[in-house]
Amino acid sequence: MRRSLLLGSIASSSAAALAAYDAALLARPRVVKALTGGGLAFLGDLNAQRLEVWGRNRLRSEAERAQAPPERMVFDARRSFAFTTIGAYWTGLFNHEWYNLLERRLPMAGGGWPRVAAKVAMAQLIVNPFMYLPVFYLWTGLVLRRSLKDTQDKAKREYWAMLQATWLVLGSANVVMFSVMPVRFQAVFMCGVSFIYQNILSLLANADRATTRKDE
């Protein structure tokens, strides 16, 4: 009986929270999407920072474990700021405008799979390779105080792996999103998907920074 009441209370609270979020989304879509994108980007990078420390501790030899206690995570605020802000701007604000523009130019009503394919192709073959990733590297490089040359060198080293991760996670999500998701929920849906993506992106983009912090 208590379990049923608890489950009912959770379901009722969840429904109320979703209704409140939907109302806020209708009232102030850009603000809500920016906060959602930034918040999930923050959580994704925070989780990635924790995974990096966990991975380094796991790979320590028995001798290293005997000599020193496990490494503790030191929160990298500058790195977190870089990911949170790019998430708020791109995943929240840019995607809001972009998906609405796509729907105006290529409405799904009566379009079927050819429209889905066209939208996915534009997102994954034009926007992400030639707009998102360059902006990502320039912005994170600026926030993390890298020189322009260091930013360019880093992008050259990582670009292909980053693009493959983008296609794998965001490309497959785009197929589902453009197929079944109403346009007003599309940016929010991608904010949710971006939590997984941000973990991958953060781990790939910050491998060198994580090593530097370990050696400090």
Side-chain angles (χ1 to χ4, degrees):
M1 182 66 177
R2 289 182 178 178
R3 184 179 179 183
S4 298
L5 289 173
L6 177 61
L7 291 175
S9 177
I10 292 173
S12 177
S13 298
S14 298
L18 287 173
Y21 183 85
D22 189 33
L25 191 61
L26 282 170
R28 305 190 72 181
R30 292 175 179 82
V31 172
V32 172
K33 290 173 185 179
L35 290 174
T36 303
L40 289 173
F42 170 81
L43 292 175
D45 178 64
L46 178 64
N47 191 57
Q49 291 191 40
R50 295 180 64 182
L51 285 174
E52 288 165 3
V53 175
W54 175 83
R56 289 196 294 269
N57 283 329
R58 187 170 177 271
L59 293 174
R60 295 173 73 199
S61 66
E62 290 295 332
E64 289 174 326
R65 293 176 185 177
Q67 291 175 359
E71 178 186 352
R72 298 181 64 182
M73 190 190 94
V74 178
F75 179 63
D76 190 335
R78 186 174 293 276
R79 162 180 160 174
S80 178
F81 177 78
F83 274 79
T84 300
T85 49
I86 194 74
Y89 168 71
W90 196 276
T91 311
L93 295 176
F94 178 88
N95 279 351
H96 169 80
E97 304 296 344
W98 170 238
Y99 295 147
N100 278 280
L101 174 63
L102 282 179
E103 183 60 20
R104 288 196 298 271
R105 301 298 184 185
L106 297 168
M108 283 306 301
W113 282 105
R115 290 284 170 85
V116 172
K119 289 182 175 183
V120 172
M122 291 180 70
Q124 300 304 322
L125 300 180
I126 299 174
V127 172
N128 284 334
F130 300 111
M131 296 175 65
Y132 172 65
L133 287 180
V135 168
F136 169 81
Y137 275 109
L138 287 171
W139 176 245
T140 55
L142 178 65
V143 173
L144 298 176
R145 297 176 179 175
R146 296 188 182 106
S147 68
L148 182 58
K149 183 180 185 306
D150 286 343
T151 296
Q152 291 173 327
D153 291 343
K154 182 175 176 62
K156 288 176 183 177
R157 289 194 308 270
E158 299 172 354
Y159 182 84
W160 178 235
M162 297 278 270
L163 185 57
Q164 287 178 301
T166 302
W167 284 341
L168 176 65
V169 179
L170 301 187
S172 56
N174 276 170
V175 174
V176 175
M177 181 189 74
F178 288 129
S179 302
V180 301
M181 195 71 58
V183 68
R184 73 186 183 93
F185 294 121
Q186 288 178 357
V188 172
F189 173 77
M190 291 307 292
C191 286
V193 172
S194 74
F195 174 77
I196 301 171
Y197 176 66
Q198 288 291 343
N199 277 273
I200 298 171
L201 194 68
S202 185
L203 288 168
L204 288 172
N206 290 287
D208 53 351
R209 187 169 175 83
T211 302
T212 300
R213 288 179 68 87
K214 178 187 174 184
D215 294 338
E216 287 175 349

